Structures are given as C-alpha cells and as structure tokens.
Coordinates of all heavy atoms in Angstrom, one line a residue:
M55 N 174.7 41.2 164.6 CA 175.5 42.4 164.4 C 174.9 43.6 165.2 O 173.7 43.8 165.3 CB 175.4 42.8 162.9 CG 176.2 41.9 162.0 SD 177.7 42.6 161.7 CE 178.7 41.3 161.3
A56 N 175.8 44.3 165.7 CA 175.4 45.6 166.5 C 175.1 46.6 165.5 O 175.8 46.8 164.5 CB 176.5 45.9 167.4
V57 N 174.1 47.4 165.9 CA 173.7 48.6 165.0 C 174.7 49.7 165.3 O 175.0 50.1 166.5 CB 172.3 49.1 165.4 CG1 171.9 50.3 164.6 CG2 171.3 48.0 165.1
A58 N 175.3 50.3 164.2 CA 176.3 51.4 164.4 C 175.6 52.6 165.0 O 174.5 53.0 164.5 CB 176.9 51.7 163.0
E59 N 176.2 53.2 166.0 CA 175.7 54.4 166.7 C 176.1 55.6 165.9 O 177.2 55.8 165.5 CB 176.3 54.4 168.1 CG 175.4 55.1 169.0 CD 176.0 55.0 170.5 OE1 176.1 53.9 170.9 OE2 176.2 56.1 171.0
R60 N 175.1 56.4 165.7 CA 175.4 57.7 165.0 C 175.9 58.8 166.0 O 175.2 59.0 167.0 CB 174.2 58.2 164.3 CG 173.9 57.6 163.0 CD 172.7 58.3 162.4 NE 173.2 59.2 161.3 CZ 172.3 59.9 160.6 NH1 171.0 59.9 160.8 NH2 172.8 60.7 159.7
K61 N 176.9 59.4 165.7 CA 177.5 60.5 166.5 C 177.0 61.8 165.8 O 177.2 62.0 164.7 CB 179.0 60.5 166.6 CG 179.5 59.2 167.4 CD 180.9 59.3 167.6 CE 181.4 58.1 168.4 NZ 182.9 58.2 168.6
M62 N 176.6 62.7 166.7 CA 176.2 64.1 166.2 C 177.2 65.1 166.7 O 177.6 65.1 167.8 CB 174.8 64.4 166.8 CG 173.7 63.5 166.3 SD 173.4 63.5 164.5 CE 172.6 65.0 164.3
F63 N 177.7 65.9 165.7 CA 178.7 66.9 166.1 C 178.1 68.3 165.8 O 177.3 68.5 164.8 CB 179.9 66.7 165.3 CG 180.7 65.5 165.6 CD1 180.5 64.4 164.7 CD2 181.5 65.4 166.7 CE1 181.2 63.2 165.1 CE2 182.1 64.2 167.0 CZ 182.0 63.1 166.2
N64 N 178.3 69.2 166.6 CA 177.9 70.6 166.4 C 178.8 71.2 165.3 O 180.0 71.0 165.3 CB 178.0 71.4 167.6 CG 177.0 71.0 168.7 OD1 175.9 70.5 168.3 ND2 177.3 71.1 169.9
V65 N 178.2 71.9 164.5 CA 179.0 72.7 163.4 C 179.0 74.1 163.8 O 178.0 74.8 164.1 CB 178.3 72.5 162.0 CG1 179.0 73.3 160.9 CG2 178.2 71.1 161.6
Y66 N 180.3 74.6 163.9 CA 180.5 76.0 164.3 C 180.3 76.8 163.1 O 181.1 76.7 162.1 CB 181.8 76.2 164.9 CG 182.1 77.6 165.3 CD1 181.5 78.2 166.3 CD2 183.1 78.4 164.5 CE1 181.8 79.6 166.6 CE2 183.3 79.7 164.8 CZ 182.6 80.3 165.9 OH 182.9 81.6 166.2
K67 N 179.4 77.7 163.0 CA 179.1 78.6 161.8 C 179.6 80.0 162.1 O 179.3 80.9 161.3 CB 177.7 78.6 161.5 CG 177.2 77.2 161.0 CD 175.8 77.2 160.6 CE 175.4 75.9 160.1 NZ 174.0 75.9 159.6
G68 N 180.2 80.3 163.2 CA 180.7 81.7 163.4 C 179.6 82.5 164.0 O 178.5 82.1 164.2
L69 N 179.9 83.7 164.3 CA 179.0 84.6 164.9 C 178.2 85.4 163.9 O 177.3 86.2 164.2 CB 179.7 85.6 165.9 CG 180.4 84.9 167.1 CD1 181.2 85.8 167.9 CD2 179.4 84.1 168.0
Q70 N 178.6 85.4 162.6 CA 178.1 86.1 161.6 C 178.1 87.6 161.8 O 177.2 88.4 161.5 CB 176.6 85.7 161.4 CG 176.4 84.2 160.9 CD 177.1 83.9 159.7 OE1 177.1 84.6 158.8 NE2 177.8 82.7 159.7
K71 N 179.2 88.0 162.4 CA 179.5 89.4 162.7 C 180.8 89.8 162.1 O 181.7 89.0 162.1 CB 179.4 89.8 164.2 CG 178.0 89.7 164.8 CD 178.1 90.1 166.3 CE 176.6 89.9 166.8 NZ 176.7 90.4 168.2
P72 N 181.0 91.0 161.7 CA 182.3 91.4 161.1 C 183.4 91.5 162.3 O 183.0 91.8 163.4 CB 182.1 92.7 160.5 CG 180.9 93.3 161.2 CD 180.1 92.1 161.5
L73 N 184.6 91.3 161.9 CA 185.7 91.5 162.8 C 185.9 92.9 163.2 O 185.6 93.9 162.5 CB 187.0 91.0 162.1 CG 188.3 91.1 163.0 CD1 188.2 90.1 164.1 CD2 189.5 90.7 162.1
V74 N 186.1 93.2 164.5 CA 186.2 94.6 165.0 C 187.6 94.8 165.7 O 188.0 94.0 166.5 CB 185.1 94.9 166.1 CG1 185.2 96.3 166.6 CG2 183.7 94.7 165.4
F75 N 188.3 95.9 165.3 CA 189.5 96.2 166.0 C 189.6 97.7 166.1 O 189.6 98.5 165.1 CB 190.7 95.7 165.1 CG 192.1 96.1 165.7 CD1 192.5 95.4 166.8 CD2 192.8 97.1 165.1 CE1 193.8 95.7 167.3 CE2 194.0 97.4 165.6 CZ 194.5 96.7 166.7
K76 N 189.7 98.2 167.3 CA 189.8 99.6 167.6 C 188.8 100.5 166.8 O 189.1 101.5 166.2 CB 191.2 100.1 167.3 CG 192.3 99.4 168.0 CD 192.5 100.0 169.3 CE 193.7 99.3 169.9 NZ 194.0 99.7 171.3
A77 N 187.6 100.2 167.0 CA 186.4 100.9 166.4 C 186.3 100.7 164.8 O 185.4 101.3 164.2 CB 186.4 102.3 166.7
F78 N 187.2 100.0 164.2 CA 187.1 99.7 162.8 C 186.5 98.3 162.6 O 186.9 97.4 163.2 CB 188.4 99.9 162.0 CG 188.9 101.3 162.0 CD1 190.1 101.6 162.5 CD2 188.2 102.2 161.4 CE1 190.6 102.9 162.5 CE2 188.6 103.6 161.2 CZ 189.8 103.9 161.9
K79 N 185.6 98.1 161.6 CA 185.0 96.9 161.4 C 185.3 96.4 160.0 O 185.4 97.0 159.0 CB 183.5 97.0 161.5 CG 182.9 97.5 162.8 CD 181.4 97.6 162.8 CE 181.0 98.2 164.1 NZ 179.5 98.5 164.0
G80 N 185.5 95.1 159.9 CA 185.5 94.3 158.7 C 186.7 94.9 157.8 O 187.8 95.0 158.1
K81 N 186.3 95.2 156.5 CA 187.2 95.7 155.5 C 187.9 97.1 156.0 O 189.0 97.4 155.5 CB 186.6 95.8 154.2 CG 185.6 97.0 154.1 CD 185.0 97.0 152.7 CE 184.0 98.1 152.6 NZ 183.3 98.2 151.2
F82 N 187.3 97.8 156.8 CA 187.8 99.1 157.2 C 189.0 98.9 158.1 O 189.8 99.9 158.3 CB 186.8 99.9 157.9 CG 185.6 100.3 157.0 CD1 184.4 99.6 157.2 CD2 185.8 101.1 155.9 CE1 183.3 99.9 156.2 CE2 184.7 101.3 155.0 CZ 183.5 100.7 155.2
I83 N 189.2 97.8 158.7 CA 190.5 97.5 159.4 C 191.7 97.6 158.4 O 192.7 98.2 158.7 CB 190.5 96.1 160.0 CG1 189.4 96.0 161.1 CG2 191.8 95.7 160.6 CD1 189.2 94.7 161.7
Y84 N 191.5 97.0 157.1 CA 192.6 97.1 156.2 C 192.8 98.5 155.7 O 193.9 98.9 155.4 CB 192.2 96.1 155.0 CG 192.1 94.7 155.4 CD1 190.9 94.0 155.4 CD2 193.2 94.0 155.9 CE1 190.8 92.7 155.8 CE2 193.2 92.7 156.3 CZ 191.9 92.1 156.3 OH 191.9 90.7 156.7
W85 N 191.7 99.3 155.6 CA 191.8 100.6 155.2 C 192.6 101.4 156.2 O 193.5 102.3 155.9 CB 190.4 101.3 155.1 CG 189.6 100.8 153.9 CD1 189.7 99.7 153.2 CD2 188.6 101.6 153.2 NE1 188.8 99.6 152.2 CE2 188.1 100.8 152.2 CE3 188.0 102.8 153.5 CZ2 187.1 101.1 151.4 CZ3 187.0 103.2 152.7 CH2 186.5 102.4 151.6
G86 N 192.4 101.1 157.5 CA 193.2 101.8 158.6 C 194.7 101.4 158.5 O 195.6 102.2 158.7
V87 N 194.9 100.1 158.3 CA 196.3 99.7 158.1 C 197.0 100.4 156.9 O 198.1 100.8 156.9 CB 196.4 98.1 158.0 CG1 197.8 97.6 157.6 CG2 195.9 97.5 159.3
G88 N 196.2 100.5 155.8 CA 196.7 101.2 154.6 C 197.0 102.6 155.0 O 198.0 103.2 154.5
S89 N 196.2 103.3 155.8 CA 196.5 104.7 156.2 C 197.8 104.8 156.9 O 198.6 105.7 156.7 CB 195.3 105.2 157.1 OG 194.2 105.3 156.3
V90 N 198.0 103.8 157.9 CA 199.2 103.8 158.7 C 200.4 103.6 157.7 O 201.4 104.4 157.8 CB 199.1 102.8 159.8 CG1 200.5 102.6 160.5 CG2 198.1 103.1 160.8
L91 N 200.3 102.6 156.9 CA 201.5 102.4 156.0 C 201.7 103.5 155.0 O 202.9 103.9 154.8 CB 201.2 101.1 155.2 CG 201.3 99.8 156.0 CD1 201.0 98.6 155.1 CD2 202.6 99.6 156.6
G92 N 200.7 104.1 154.5 CA 200.9 105.2 153.6 C 201.5 106.4 154.3 O 202.4 107.1 153.8
A93 N 201.0 106.6 155.6 CA 201.7 107.8 156.4 C 203.1 107.5 156.6 O 203.9 108.4 156.5 CB 200.9 107.9 157.7
V94 N 203.5 106.3 157.0 CA 204.9 106.0 157.3 C 205.7 106.1 156.0 O 206.8 106.7 156.0 CB 205.1 104.6 157.9 CG1 206.5 104.1 157.9 CG2 204.4 104.5 159.2
I95 N 205.2 105.7 154.9 CA 206.0 105.7 153.6 C 206.2 107.2 153.1 O 207.2 107.6 152.9 CB 205.4 104.8 152.5 CG1 205.5 103.4 153.0 CG2 206.0 105.1 151.1 CD1 204.8 102.4 152.0
L96 N 205.0 107.9 153.1 CA 205.1 109.3 152.6 C 205.9 110.2 153.6 O 206.7 111.0 153.2 CB 203.7 109.9 152.4 CG 202.9 109.4 151.2 CD1 201.5 109.9 151.2 CD2 203.7 109.7 150.0
G97 N 205.7 109.9 154.9 CA 206.4 110.8 155.9 C 207.9 110.4 155.8 O 208.8 111.3 155.9
G98 N 208.3 109.1 155.6 CA 209.7 108.8 155.5 C 210.3 109.4 154.3 O 211.5 109.8 154.3
L99 N 209.6 109.4 153.1 CA 210.2 110.0 152.0 C 210.4 111.5 152.1 O 211.4 112.0 151.7 CB 209.2 109.7 150.8 CG 209.2 108.3 150.1 CD1 208.2 108.2 149.1 CD2 210.6 108.1 149.5
M100 N 209.4 112.2 152.7 CA 209.6 113.6 153.0 C 210.6 113.9 153.9 O 211.4 114.9 153.7 CB 208.3 114.2 153.5 CG 207.1 114.2 152.6 SD 207.5 115.2 151.1 CE 207.2 116.9 151.8
M101 N 210.9 113.0 155.0 CA 212.0 113.2 155.9 C 213.3 113.1 155.2 O 214.3 113.8 155.5 CB 211.9 112.2 157.0 CG 210.8 112.5 158.0 SD 210.9 111.3 159.4 CE 209.4 111.8 160.2
A102 N 213.4 112.1 154.2 CA 214.7 111.8 153.6 C 215.0 112.9 152.5 O 216.1 113.2 152.3 CB 214.6 110.4 153.0
L103 N 213.9 113.3 151.8 CA 214.2 114.2 150.6 C 214.1 115.7 151.0 O 214.8 116.5 150.4 CB 213.1 113.9 149.6 CG 213.2 112.5 149.0 CD1 212.1 112.3 148.0 CD2 214.5 112.2 148.4
V104 N 213.2 116.1 152.0 CA 213.1 117.5 152.2 C 213.6 117.9 153.6 O 214.6 118.5 153.7 CB 211.6 117.9 152.1 CG1 211.4 119.4 152.3 CG2 211.0 117.5 150.7
S105 N 212.8 117.6 154.6 CA 213.3 117.9 156.0 C 212.5 117.1 157.0 O 211.4 116.5 156.7 CB 213.1 119.4 156.3 OG 211.6 119.6 156.5
T106 N 213.1 116.9 158.2 CA 212.5 116.1 159.2 C 211.2 116.6 159.7 O 210.2 115.9 159.9 CB 213.4 116.0 160.4 OG1 214.7 115.5 159.9 CG2 212.9 115.0 161.4
I107 N 211.1 118.0 159.8 CA 209.9 118.6 160.4 C 208.8 118.4 159.3 O 207.6 118.0 159.7 CB 210.1 120.1 160.7 CG1 211.1 120.2 161.9 CG2 208.8 120.8 161.0 CD1 211.6 121.6 162.1
L108 N 209.0 118.7 158.1 CA 208.0 118.5 157.0 C 207.6 117.1 156.9 O 206.4 116.8 156.7 CB 208.5 119.1 155.7 CG 207.4 119.3 154.6 CD1 206.3 120.2 155.0 CD2 208.1 119.7 153.3
G109 N 208.5 116.1 157.0 CA 208.1 114.8 157.0 C 207.2 114.3 158.2 O 206.3 113.6 158.0
G110 N 207.5 114.8 159.4 CA 206.7 114.6 160.5 C 205.3 115.2 160.3 O 204.3 114.5 160.6
I111 N 205.2 116.4 159.8 CA 203.9 117.0 159.5 C 203.1 116.2 158.5 O 201.9 115.9 158.6 CB 204.0 118.5 159.1 CG1 204.6 119.3 160.3 CG2 202.8 119.0 158.6 CD1 205.0 120.7 160.0
T112 N 203.8 115.8 157.4 CA 203.2 115.0 156.4 C 202.6 113.7 157.0 O 201.5 113.2 156.6 CB 204.1 114.6 155.3 OG1 204.6 115.9 154.7 CG2 203.6 113.9 154.1
M113 N 203.4 113.0 157.8 CA 203.0 111.7 158.4 C 201.8 111.9 159.3 O 200.8 111.1 159.1 CB 204.1 111.2 159.3 CG 203.9 109.8 159.7 SD 205.2 109.1 160.7 CE 206.6 109.1 159.6
V114 N 201.7 113.0 160.1 CA 200.5 113.2 160.9 C 199.3 113.5 160.0 O 198.2 113.0 160.3 CB 200.8 114.4 161.9 CG1 199.6 114.8 162.6 CG2 201.8 113.9 162.9
V115 N 199.4 114.4 159.0 CA 198.3 114.8 158.2 C 197.8 113.6 157.4 O 196.6 113.4 157.4 CB 198.8 115.9 157.2 CG1 197.8 116.1 156.1 CG2 199.0 117.2 158.0
V116 N 198.6 112.7 156.9 CA 198.2 111.6 156.1 C 197.5 110.6 157.0 O 196.4 110.0 156.7 CB 199.4 110.9 155.3 CG1 199.0 109.6 154.7 CG2 199.8 111.9 154.3
L117 N 198.1 110.4 158.2 CA 197.5 109.4 159.2 C 196.1 109.9 159.7 O 195.2 109.2 159.6 CB 198.4 109.2 160.3 CG 198.1 108.2 161.3 CD1 198.0 106.8 160.7 CD2 199.0 108.2 162.5
V118 N 196.0 111.1 160.1 CA 194.7 111.6 160.6 C 193.7 111.7 159.4 O 192.5 111.3 159.6 CB 194.9 113.0 161.3 CG1 193.6 113.6 161.6 CG2 195.8 112.9 162.6
G119 N 194.1 112.2 158.3 CA 193.2 112.2 157.1 C 192.7 110.8 156.7 O 191.5 110.7 156.4
G120 N 193.6 109.9 156.7 CA 193.2 108.5 156.4 C 192.2 107.9 157.4 O 191.3 107.3 157.0
F121 N 192.4 108.1 158.6 CA 191.5 107.7 159.7 C 190.2 108.4 159.6 O 189.2 107.7 159.8 CB 192.1 107.8 161.1 CG 193.2 106.7 161.4 CD1 194.0 106.9 162.5 CD2 193.2 105.5 160.7 CE1 194.9 105.9 162.8 CE2 194.2 104.6 161.0 CZ 195.0 104.8 162.1
L122 N 190.2 109.7 159.3 CA 188.9 110.4 159.2 C 188.1 109.9 158.0 O 186.9 109.7 158.1 CB 189.2 111.8 159.2 CG 189.6 112.5 160.5 CD1 189.9 114.0 160.3 CD2 188.5 112.3 161.6
F123 N 188.8 109.7 156.9 CA 188.2 109.2 155.7 C 187.6 107.8 155.9 O 186.4 107.5 155.6 CB 189.2 109.2 154.5 CG 188.6 108.7 153.2 CD1 187.6 109.3 152.5 CD2 188.9 107.4 152.8 CE1 187.1 108.8 151.4 CE2 188.3 106.8 151.7 CZ 187.4 107.6 151.0
T124 N 188.4 107.0 156.6 CA 187.9 105.6 156.9 C 186.7 105.6 157.8 O 185.7 104.8 157.5 CB 189.1 104.8 157.5 OG1 190.2 104.8 156.6 CG2 188.6 103.3 157.7
A125 N 186.7 106.4 158.8 CA 185.6 106.5 159.7 C 184.4 107.1 159.0 O 183.2 106.6 159.3 CB 185.9 107.4 160.9
S126 N 184.5 108.0 158.1 CA 183.4 108.5 157.4 C 182.8 107.5 156.4 O 181.5 107.4 156.3 CB 183.7 109.8 156.6 OG 184.5 109.5 155.5
Q127 N 183.6 106.7 155.8 CA 183.1 105.7 154.9 C 182.5 104.6 155.7 O 181.5 104.0 155.2 CB 184.3 105.1 154.0 CG 184.8 106.1 153.1 CD 183.8 106.5 152.0 OE1 183.1 105.7 151.5 NE2 183.7 107.8 151.8
Q128 N 183.0 104.3 156.9 CA 182.4 103.2 157.7 C 181.0 103.6 158.2 O 180.1 102.7 158.4 CB 183.3 103.0 158.9 CG 182.8 101.8 159.8 CD 183.9 101.4 160.8 OE1 185.0 101.3 160.5 NE2 183.4 101.4 162.1
K129 N 180.7 104.9 158.4 CA 179.4 105.3 158.8 C 178.4 105.0 157.7 O 177.2 104.9 158.0 CB 179.4 106.8 159.1 CG 180.0 107.1 160.4 CD 180.0 108.6 160.7 CE 180.7 108.9 162.0 NZ 180.6 110.3 162.3
K130 N 178.8 104.9 156.5 CA 177.8 104.7 155.4 C 177.4 103.2 155.4 O 176.5 102.9 154.7 CB 178.5 105.0 154.1 CG 178.7 106.5 153.9 CD 179.3 106.8 152.5 CE 179.7 108.3 152.4 NZ 180.3 108.6 151.1
G131 N 178.2 102.3 156.0 CA 177.8 100.9 156.1 C 179.0 100.1 155.5 O 179.9 100.5 154.9
L132 N 178.9 98.8 156.0 CA 180.0 97.9 155.6 C 179.9 97.4 154.2 O 181.0 97.2 153.6 CB 179.8 96.7 156.5 CG 181.0 95.6 156.6 CD1 182.2 96.3 157.0 CD2 180.6 94.5 157.5
Y133 N 178.8 97.5 153.6 CA 178.6 97.1 152.3 C 178.2 98.3 151.4 O 177.3 99.0 151.7 CB 177.6 95.9 152.1 CG 178.0 94.7 153.0 CD1 177.3 94.5 154.1 CD2 179.0 93.9 152.6 CE1 177.7 93.5 155.0 CE2 179.4 92.9 153.4 CZ 178.7 92.7 154.6 OH 179.1 91.6 155.4
T134 N 178.8 98.4 150.2 CA 178.5 99.5 149.3 C 177.3 99.2 148.4 O 177.4 98.1 147.7 CB 179.7 100.0 148.5 OG1 180.9 99.7 149.2 CG2 179.7 101.4 148.2
K135 N 176.2 99.9 148.5 CA 175.1 99.6 147.7 C 174.7 100.9 147.0 O 174.7 102.0 147.6 CB 173.9 99.1 148.5 CG 174.2 97.7 149.2 CD 173.0 97.4 150.0 CE 173.3 96.1 150.8 NZ 172.2 95.7 151.7
T136 N 174.2 100.8 145.8 CA 173.7 102.0 145.1 C 172.3 102.2 145.6 O 171.4 101.3 145.6 CB 173.7 101.9 143.6 OG1 173.0 100.7 143.3 CG2 175.2 101.8 143.1
K137 N 172.0 103.4 146.1 CA 170.7 103.7 146.5 C 170.0 104.7 145.6 O 170.4 105.9 145.4 CB 170.8 104.4 148.0 CG 171.3 103.4 149.0 CD 171.4 104.1 150.3 CE 172.0 103.1 151.3 NZ 172.1 103.7 152.6
N138 N 169.0 104.2 144.8 CA 168.3 105.0 143.9 C 167.0 105.4 144.5 O 166.2 104.6 144.9 CB 168.1 104.2 142.6 CG 169.3 103.8 142.0 OD1 170.3 104.6 141.9 ND2 169.3 102.7 141.4
N139 N 166.8 106.7 144.6 CA 165.5 107.3 145.2 C 164.6 107.6 144.0 O 165.0 108.1 143.0 CB 165.8 108.6 146.0 CG 166.6 108.2 147.3 OD1 166.6 107.1 147.8 ND2 167.5 109.2 147.7
G140 N 163.3 107.3 144.3 CA 162.4 107.6 143.2 C 161.5 106.6 142.9 O 161.5 105.4 143.5
I141 N 160.5 106.7 142.1 CA 159.5 105.7 141.7 C 159.8 105.3 140.2 O 159.9 106.2 139.4 CB 158.1 106.3 141.8 CG1 157.8 106.7 143.2 CG2 157.0 105.3 141.3 CD1 156.5 107.4 143.4
Y142 N 159.9 104.0 140.0 CA 160.2 103.6 138.7 C 159.0 102.7 138.2 O 158.6 101.8 138.8 CB 161.5 102.7 138.7 CG 162.7 103.5 139.1 CD1 163.2 103.5 140.5 CD2 163.4 104.2 138.2 CE1 164.3 104.2 140.8 CE2 164.5 105.0 138.5 CZ 164.9 105.0 139.9 OH 166.1 105.7 140.3
I143 N 158.7 103.0 137.0 CA 157.5 102.4 136.4 C 158.1 101.6 135.1 O 158.7 102.3 134.3 CB 156.4 103.3 136.0 CG1 155.9 104.1 137.2 CG2 155.3 102.6 135.2 CD1 154.9 105.2 136.9
I144 N 157.8 100.4 135.1 CA 158.3 99.6 134.0 C 157.1 99.2 133.2 O 156.1 98.5 133.6 CB 159.0 98.2 134.5 CG1 160.2 98.6 135.3 CG2 159.4 97.4 133.2 CD1 160.9 97.4 135.9
A145 N 157.0 99.8 131.9 CA 155.9 99.6 131.1 C 155.9 98.3 130.3 O 157.0 97.9 129.9 CB 155.8 100.8 130.2
S146 N 154.9 97.7 130.1 CA 154.8 96.5 129.2 C 153.8 96.7 128.1 O 152.8 97.4 128.2 CB 154.3 95.3 130.0 OG 155.2 95.0 131.0
V147 N 154.1 96.2 126.9 CA 153.2 96.3 125.8 C 152.8 94.9 125.4 O 153.7 93.9 125.3 CB 153.9 96.9 124.6 CG1 153.1 96.9 123.3 CG2 154.3 98.3 124.9
Y148 N 151.5 94.6 125.2 CA 151.0 93.3 124.9 C 150.9 93.2 123.4 O 150.2 94.0 122.8 CB 149.7 93.0 125.6 CG 149.8 92.7 127.0 CD1 149.7 93.7 127.9 CD2 150.2 91.5 127.4 CE1 149.8 93.4 129.3 CE2 150.4 91.2 128.8 CZ 150.2 92.2 129.7 OH 150.4 91.9 131.0
K149 N 151.5 92.3 122.8 CA 151.3 92.1 121.4 C 151.1 90.5 121.2 O 151.9 89.8 121.7 CB 152.6 92.5 120.5 CG 152.8 93.9 120.5 CD 154.0 94.3 119.6 CE 154.1 95.8 119.5 NZ 155.3 96.2 118.7
N150 N 150.1 90.2 120.5 CA 149.7 88.8 120.2 C 149.6 88.0 121.5 O 150.0 86.8 121.6 CB 150.8 88.1 119.3 CG 150.8 88.9 118.0 OD1 149.8 89.4 117.5 ND2 152.0 88.9 117.3
G151 N 149.1 88.7 122.6 CA 148.9 87.9 123.8 C 150.2 87.7 124.7 O 150.2 87.0 125.7
K152 N 151.3 88.2 124.2 CA 152.5 88.1 125.0 C 153.1 89.5 125.4 O 153.0 90.4 124.7 CB 153.6 87.4 124.0 CG 153.3 86.0 123.7 CD 154.4 85.4 122.8 CE 154.1 84.0 122.4 NZ 155.1 83.5 121.5
A153 N 153.5 89.5 126.6 CA 154.1 90.8 127.2 C 155.5 91.0 126.7 O 156.3 90.1 126.7 CB 154.0 90.8 128.7
Q154 N 155.8 92.2 126.2 CA 157.1 92.6 125.8 C 157.5 93.8 126.4 O 156.7 94.8 126.5 CB 157.1 92.7 124.2 CG 156.8 91.5 123.5 CD 156.6 91.8 122.0 OE1 156.7 92.9 121.5 NE2 156.6 90.7 121.2
R155 N 158.6 93.9 127.0 CA 159.2 95.1 127.6 C 159.7 96.1 126.6 O 160.2 95.8 125.7 CB 160.3 94.7 128.6 CG 159.7 93.9 129.8 CD 160.6 94.0 130.9 NE 159.9 93.2 132.0 CZ 160.4 93.2 133.3 NH1 161.4 94.0 133.5 NH2 159.7 92.6 134.2
I156 N 159.4 97.3 127.0 CA 160.0 98.4 126.1 C 161.3 98.8 126.6 O 161.6 99.0 127.7 CB 159.0 99.6 126.2 CG1 157.6 99.2 125.7 CG2 159.6 100.8 125.4 CD1 156.6 100.3 125.8

C-alpha cells in the first residue's frame, strides 16, 4: 500500500486590522453612514414640512455635526474602555489562616 501524502494548506487569518473607508475605521464607518442617513431624513422632512432652504441648512448641519462627532469619538480609540486613574489598594484580613476580602 502506498502511504497517503499529507497536503498542507495555508490558512488565511486576515490582516488583523480594522476596515478603513475615507478616514473612518471599523465601527465608525457605520456611524458615518448613520450621519448621512440622518441628515437626508431630517433634511427631507424639514424641506417637506417647513421650507427648502431650512431643510438644506438642516441637512448640512446634521451631516457636518455627525461627521465631526464621529471623528472626535474615533480619536479616543476603536474600543471603548473605562480608564480609571489612581491607586487602588485591596485590603485583606486574615482569619483562621484564610484570607478574606473586605
């Protein structure tokens, strides 16, 4: 009998980097799309209900505001972590040879 030959295949694991589109990374791409959709919907409602000029102004303000907010949040990092500053001391009390936390 012939010995079966083992074939080795490379496993593609990705680049381990977030997706980037027009300076927005990862989840912030969706935030940018949400800003665009929100601007179109609010601007369209204002155009239909009040006036075309006010609707256009609303659309620009919501779009620029959404993009600025998204960019400011992106500068803080891709993942939200709570950052506690300070020194924390965890005290232990020994009773009967066993450590018990307070």
Side-chain angles (χ1 to χ4, degrees):
M55 291 260 154
V57 177
E59 205 174 303
R60 276 183 105 181
K61 293 184 179 181
M62 299 297 286
F63 297 100
N64 293 330
V65 177
Y66 178 72
K67 295 183 179 181
L69 299 175
Q70 300 299 321
K71 292 184 179 180
L73 182 66
V74 178
F75 179 75
K76 302 277 184 181
F78 291 120
K79 297 178 186 176
K81 68 180 179 181
F82 299 107
I83 295 171
Y84 299 112
W85 289 25
V87 170
S89 297
V90 170
L91 290 176
V94 168
I95 291 170
L96 287 175
L99 283 173
M100 290 298 282
M101 285 181 189
L103 299 176
V104 181
S105 73
T106 306
I107 295 171
L108 191 59
I111 292 170
T112 302
M113 190 179 297
V114 169
V115 167
V116 170
L117 184 64
V118 171
F121 281 163
L122 289 176
F123 177 74
T124 303
S126 71
Q127 292 297 312
Q128 183 172 311
K129 284 183 184 178
K130 293 180 183 177
L132 191 59
Y133 304 103
T134 328
K135 297 178 184 176
T136 54
K137 296 180 182 179
N138 298 322
N139 295 329
I141 299 172
Y142 296 95
I143 300 172
I144 300 172
S146 296
V147 175
Y148 286 95
K149 289 184 181 179
N150 299 330
K152 294 181 182 178
Q154 297 176 351
R155 292 195 176 196
I156 298 176

